Amino acid sequence: MKRTIVLMNMGGPNNLDEVKVFLKNMFNDKYIIGAPQPIRAMIGAIIVSKRLEIAKENYKKLGGISPIVGHTKRLVRRFSNMVDADVFYEMRYTYPFAKDILEKVKNYDEIYAIPMYPHYSSTTTKSSIEDLKKVAKSFGIENKIKTIDSYYDSDLYNKAIVERIKEALKGENSEDFELIFSAHGLTQRTINKGDLYQKHILANVECAKKELQKQNINFKKIHVAYQSRLGPMEWLRPYMEDKLKEIKSKVIVYPISFTVDNSETLGELVLEYGELAHELGIKDYRVAKAPNHHPYFLLNLKEIYEEMKKF
Ligand SMILES: C=CC1=C(C)c2cc3[nH]c(cc4nc(cc5[nH]c(cc1n2)c(C)c5CCC(=O)O)C(CCC(=O)O)=C4C)c(C)c3C=C
Ligand SMILES: [Fe+2]
Ligand SMILES: [Fe+2]
């Protein structure tokens, strides 16, 4: 039996020229912009032209490449050593796309597609799975694909989160800190249509809090806020910039939406909100790492794969 695992993520520019490709593909996704064609293409083109230069400047500050690329490659390398399958990754909006990877793995017997999104959202998980299955169908291999929807509630996943929070504490007393779980935002409109994302985020926060309690790690206060808002619509609240104004002490921000660090964690949380925190007089502002290649997260992925094999 020849098995392969394909880790699915959103992607991010591999170089500055790809910023346009990334944004174009994202804003041409019906799960991101709900309007039918050709209206979607028109709205997409407007957003891309407005966003392109700002986004390019942001990626320039990160060395001209999204951190998501290196982190994903490293995860693939480490995970490959732990499983009886060849591991690949594919991205929704940048190379390598589903078609590039399925071309490589089409002769395997079973293809285990694991989303790098721990929470289910139409804009991420559903979009990636549907895209992968559509391409698989065109190759005549759709019955080889196995997927899962979410894993934010797994013990190992939450243990990885707590380890990252402990790293950010650097041995200092947690009771001197407030903790903000910062989630990537989503429009309220998407939530109103029944998207599970916010429910999953809040349930994830509860799981992480339980693990913190188990380990007797107590914070002054624990908050949830949403980052990465874009455009004039109403997004999930509270917004991160409002939340930071409430913070009275030292603070640790944990990027709860992401399995690997990316432009939203290293660019937005560290650089942009770091500057805002400084302006607001927050003396100690720390951003915890995403799970990345933490051993608990790798074990979590292995557990997910072993469970998927049973079905
Ligand atoms: C309408 C716009 C967007 C929705 C809805 C959205 C949902 C969503 N996104 C992620 C994860 C990531 N998003 C990233 C970047 C990013 N996201 C949007 C817009 C929406 N996201 C934009 C325009 C960008 C590009 C950066 C920018 O211009 O500010 C990334 C980072 C990719 C990288 O390059 O590293 C991630 C990861 C989730 C989880 C989510 C909904 C659940
Ligand atoms: Fe996003
Ligand atoms: Fe952002």
Side-chain angles (χ1 to χ4, degrees):
M1 180 71 74
K2 226 176 140 202
R3 298 189 183 98
T4 179
I5 297 169
V6 179
L7 304 180
M8 295 184 289
N9 211 344
M10 167 167 289
N14 293 281
N15 53 62
L16 285 179
D17 290 334
E18 261 190 28
V19 177
K20 193 170 185 183
V21 176
F22 173 62
L23 293 177
K24 258 177 103 171
N25 286 335
M26 175 185 286
F27 291 108
N28 195 35
D29 182 341
K30 69 176 179 194
Y31 290 112
I32 296 283
I33 303 290
Q37 292 292 28
I39 301 166
R40 180 160 80 241
M42 279 157 55
I43 299 174
I46 295 167
I47 302 177
V48 173
S49 74
K50 277 194 162 172
R51 187 77 201 161
L52 184 60
E53 287 314 311
I54 305 170
K56 268 192 171 171
E57 280 310 309
N58 290 342
Y59 284 108
K60 249 185 222 165
K61 288 181 199 152
L62 300 172
I65 180 168
S66 165
I68 208 170
V69 179
H71 283 298
T72 305
K73 286 181 179 168
R74 183 163 55 178
L75 196 61
V76 165
R77 278 198 304 275
R78 305 251 172 138
F79 191 35
S80 298
N81 295 328
M82 296 168 65
V83 284
D84 61 358
D86 292 332
V87 185
F88 296 87
Y89 74 94
E90 65 97 2
M91 300 296 202
R92 180 70 182 91
Y93 304 131
T94 49
Y95 180 83
F97 297 103
K99 67 173 169 37
D100 302 309
I101 296 309
L102 288 185
E103 180 61 46
K104 284 190 188 166
V105 302
K106 63 186 178 198
N107 294 324
Y108 283 69
D109 301 303
E110 290 177 347
I111 301 168
Y112 294 82
I114 304 180
M116 289 292 92
Y117 311 110
H119 321 94
Y120 188 84
S121 170
S122 57
T123 61
T124 53
T125 331
K126 187 174 186 187
S127 172
S128 285
I129 291 177
E130 205 172 281
D131 177 60
L132 185 83
K133 286 192 172 165
K134 194 170 126 194
V135 179
K137 198 167 178 194
S138 75
F139 281 69
I141 55 168
E142 70 270 30
N143 55 357
K144 294 186 182 182
I145 307 261
K146 291 189 184 192
T147 60
I148 56 146
D149 283 350
S150 65
Y151 46 88
Y152 63 86
D153 53 352
S154 116
D155 269 359
L156 283 163
Y157 189 64
N158 284 283
K159 281 200 162 85
I161 292 176
V162 169
E163 288 307 308
R164 290 306 192 199
I165 293 172
K166 279 155 69 177
E167 271 172 29
L169 271 171
K170 297 185 211 155
E172 290 167 51
N173 185 358
S174 60
E175 291 178 23
D176 296 337
F177 286 81
E178 294 182 56
L179 172 65
I180 307 177
F181 286 104
S182 177
H184 189 299
L186 202 59
T187 60
Q188 190 57 51
R189 185 170 176 269
T190 309
I191 298 295
N192 295 348
K193 284 198 281 186
D195 196 285
L196 291 172
Y197 175 72
Q198 186 184 25
K199 277 198 192 90
H200 284 187
I201 289 288
L202 296 176
N204 192 172
V205 168
E206 290 311 309
C207 295
K209 274 186 183 171
K210 267 195 201 133
E211 184 58 36
L212 285 167
Q213 273 163 12
K214 230 196 232 169
Q215 299 191 33
N216 207 16
I217 303 168
N218 301 302
F219 284 90
K220 225 180 215 175
K221 214 168 168 191
I222 297 182
H223 311 259
V224 181
Y226 297 90
Q227 61 177 104
S228 322
R229 198 158 36 100
L230 200 84
M233 290 175 80
E234 181 67 16
W235 285 62
L236 284 171
R237 284 178 189 263
Y239 300 151
M240 189 59 181
E241 64 260 39
D242 296 330
K243 183 54 76 182
L244 284 176
K245 290 177 192 151
E246 287 175 24
I247 299 299
K248 303 271 186 298
S249 50
K250 303 199 264 188
V251 67
I252 290 176
V253 178
Y254 182 80
I256 188 115
S257 293
F258 310 115
T259 47
V260 291
D261 278 307
N262 59 76
S263 69
E264 302 297 285
T265 59
L266 302 186
E268 189 164 47
L269 287 179
V270 175
L271 300 177
E272 282 176 46
Y273 286 120
E275 211 169 288
L276 178 62
H278 182 71
E279 282 164 20
L280 291 169
I282 297 172
K283 297 247 164 12
D284 195 334
Y285 171 89
R286 305 179 186 183
V287 180
K289 282 187 189 148
N292 294 335
H293 59 289
H294 193 283
Y296 281 143
F297 181 47
L298 285 162
L299 286 171
N300 176 216
L301 289 175
K302 186 176 161 71
E303 186 181 79
I304 290 167
Y305 167 60
E306 296 299 341
E307 279 302 307
M308 286 170 85
K309 272 188 353 192
K310 293 181 192 160
F311 294 99

